[in-house]
């Protein structure tokens, strides 16, 4: 999660990401399809679709699993190739993967875009007739055929509604800001602020952006405790800093109600242990499962949702056992 959101932080700053690139990327696998399909777009057989994630591991592996599940369930509709770079800020690598997908005749690309540097490659793909679907995040300056992601505006409001039930008037909650200017992360904070307004709960912000890093989350929490001795709670726009905050609370033997957002299995383990209270779990599996479906529907000329909200689930001690082993 840390590097995942660091990459988006660079998007927010509108900088072009630069790193070393292996044109073959960090991962490449395929799920094949069989017999013929009746769709007009793929009379000769299943359509070729590529999923391009930023990297592999954890969140990204759940994305890959979601896409492969759709391909396995629909072998007559799609032949899936999955690609990933070794690091999720390697824009040249992702550009090469987009270009390679077009060269190899893929009719749709489902991608979690790294940054503005990939836009020219996406535009050329579109000019070649390739359908483009974004998963997990959007990219200012390019409108894809569909987006399959969490509605973080709704998720932030839901988080605020729950936190409101766990605190009382007179409490003080510190907000761990992730990366300002990233809409998905900003919405998670704004929703909580909105729902706590007028409750008598004092809302303060950490003085440093965490970039979703657990070590920075710990540092910012320590600073908040120093500046606000009566601090009673922490809310982080992503789980990793919340995990860092729980470490500080334990080291200082300081009770804090800690809330996060993402659905990291490690956060669920802390919830079960009583070290944190709750998180809002995303579903990377659904993002790609529904994203591949949208791409196939677009190629078939069928109606489909262009803005797919994959939802969030409130994870507390009651259901954390369902989320502790893997991303959902």
């Amino acid at each position: 999660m840390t590097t995942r959101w660091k990459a988006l932080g660079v998007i927010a700053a509108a900088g072009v990401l630069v790193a070393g690139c292996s044109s073959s990327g960090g991962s490449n696998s395929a799920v094949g399809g069989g017999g013929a399909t009746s769709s007009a777009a793929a009379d000769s057989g299943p359509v070729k679709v590529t999923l391009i994630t930023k990297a592999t591991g954890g969140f990204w592996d759940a994305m890959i699993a979601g896409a492969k599940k759709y391909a396995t369930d629909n072998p007559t509709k799609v032949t899936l190739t999955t690609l990933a770079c070794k690091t999720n800020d390697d824009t040249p690598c992702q550009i090469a993967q987009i270009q390679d997908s077009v060269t190899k005749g893929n009719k749709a690309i489902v991608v979690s875009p790294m940054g503005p540097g990939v836009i020219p490659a996406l535009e050329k793909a579109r000019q070649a007739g390739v359908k483009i679907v974004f998963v997990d995040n959007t990219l200012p300056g390019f409108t894809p055929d569909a987006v399959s992601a969490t509605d973080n505006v709704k998720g932030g409001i839901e988080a605020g509604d729950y936190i409101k039930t766990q605190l009382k008037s007179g409490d003080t909650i510190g907000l761990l800001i992730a990366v300002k200017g990233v809409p998905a992360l900003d919405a998670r904070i704004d929703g909580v602020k909105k729902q706590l307004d007028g409750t008598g709960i004092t809302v303060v912000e950490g003085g440093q952006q965490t970039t979703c890093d657990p070590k920075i989350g710990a540092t910012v929490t320590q600073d908040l405790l120093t500046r606000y001795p009566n601090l009673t709670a922490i809310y982080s726009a992503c789980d990793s800093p919340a995990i860092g905050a729980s470490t500080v609370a334990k080291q200082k033997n300081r009770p804090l109600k800690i809330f996060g957002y993402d659905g990291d299995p490690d956060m669920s383990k802390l919830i079960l242990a009583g070290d944190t209270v709750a998180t809002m779990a995303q579903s990377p599996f659904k993002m790609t499962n529904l994203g591949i479906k949208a791409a196939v529907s677009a190629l078939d000329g069928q109606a489909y949702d262009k803005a797919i909200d994959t939802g969030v689930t409130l994870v507390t001690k009651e259901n954390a056992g369902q989320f502790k082993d893997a991303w959902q």
Side-chain angles (χ1 to χ4, degrees):
M1 290 307 300
T2 300
T3 52
R4 170 174 165 244
W5 286 115
K6 279 182 178 177
L8 288 187
V10 180
I11 291 175
V16 178
L17 305 172
V18 179
C21 171
S22 167
S23 62
S24 62
S27 175
N28 184 337
S29 65
V31 178
T37 173
S38 60
S39 75
D43 289 333
S44 60
V47 294
K48 295 172 67 175
V49 177
T50 296
L51 169 69
I52 303 177
T53 59
K54 293 189 181 79
T56 57
F59 185 92
W60 307 115
D61 285 350
M63 276 195 161
I64 293 167
K68 287 184 175 180
K69 181 66 165 60
Y70 181 88
T72 300
D73 290 346
N74 298 275
T76 63
K77 293 183 178 182
V78 61
T79 297
L80 176 71
T81 297
T82 64
L83 300 173
C85 296
K86 292 181 180 179
T87 62
N88 64 7
D89 58 357
D90 191 347
T91 298
C93 174
Q94 190 171 82
I95 290 171
Q97 291 178 343
I98 293 168
Q99 294 169 336
D100 189 54
S101 297
V102 177
T103 300
K104 290 182 177 178
N106 284 268
K107 300 302 181 184
I109 295 174
V110 179
V111 58
S112 181
M114 287 190 184
V118 306
I119 289 178
L122 291 173
E123 289 175 339
K124 288 182 179 179
R126 172 168 284 170
Q127 290 167 8
V130 176
K131 299 294 184 182
I132 306 295
V133 175
F134 283 172
V135 288
D136 185 39
N137 63 280
T138 56
L139 189 61
F142 187 91
T143 302
D145 294 282
V147 176
S148 181
T150 303
D151 184 336
N152 288 286
V153 173
K154 288 171 59 177
I157 289 172
E158 290 179 25
D161 283 338
Y162 178 74
I163 292 170
K164 187 165 54 177
T165 69
Q166 301 300 302
L167 304 179
K168 64 183 183 304
S169 178
D171 283 344
T172 299
I173 184 169
L175 305 183
L176 303 188
I177 310 299
V179 183
K180 290 183 178 179
V182 176
L185 297 173
D186 288 343
R188 300 176 186 185
I189 293 293
D190 293 343
V192 169
K193 284 182 177 179
K194 179 180 179 181
Q195 299 311 102
L196 295 185
D197 187 38
T199 62
I201 298 167
T202 300
V203 178
V204 298
E205 294 186 7
Q208 179 183 358
Q209 298 180 72
T210 68
T211 66
C212 291
D213 186 298
K215 292 182 180 179
I216 300 177
T219 299
V220 176
T221 299
Q222 175 61 65
D223 179 62
L224 284 168
L225 285 168
T226 300
R227 290 194 288 133
Y228 304 99
N230 295 323
L231 190 73
T232 50
I234 288 286
Y235 168 70
S236 174
C238 33
D239 277 340
S240 294
I243 292 170
S246 71
T247 300
V248 172
K250 288 188 71 173
Q251 288 174 344
K252 294 189 168 297
N253 195 27
R254 176 67 187 276
L256 283 176
K257 293 183 177 181
I258 299 173
F259 308 87
Y261 194 119
D262 263 337
D264 190 317
D266 288 340
M267 184 69 167
S268 292
K269 292 173 185 175
L270 290 174
I271 292 170
L272 289 171
D275 295 328
T276 60
V277 179
T279 186
M280 306 300 293
Q282 301 189 85
S283 180
F285 184 98
K286 287 174 64 177
M287 289 179 194
T288 51
N289 190 269
L290 297 178
I292 299 292
K293 180 181 179 181
V296 172
S297 295
L299 289 167
D300 285 349
Q302 299 176 354
Y304 66 96
D305 291 332
K306 295 187 177 182
I308 304 165
D309 174 18
T310 52
V312 290
T313 301
L314 173 64
V315 179
T316 65
K317 207 161 192 175
E318 284 66 35
N319 63 344
Q322 304 170 32
F323 294 83
K324 67 180 178 64
D325 294 323
W327 289 90
Q328 301 298 304

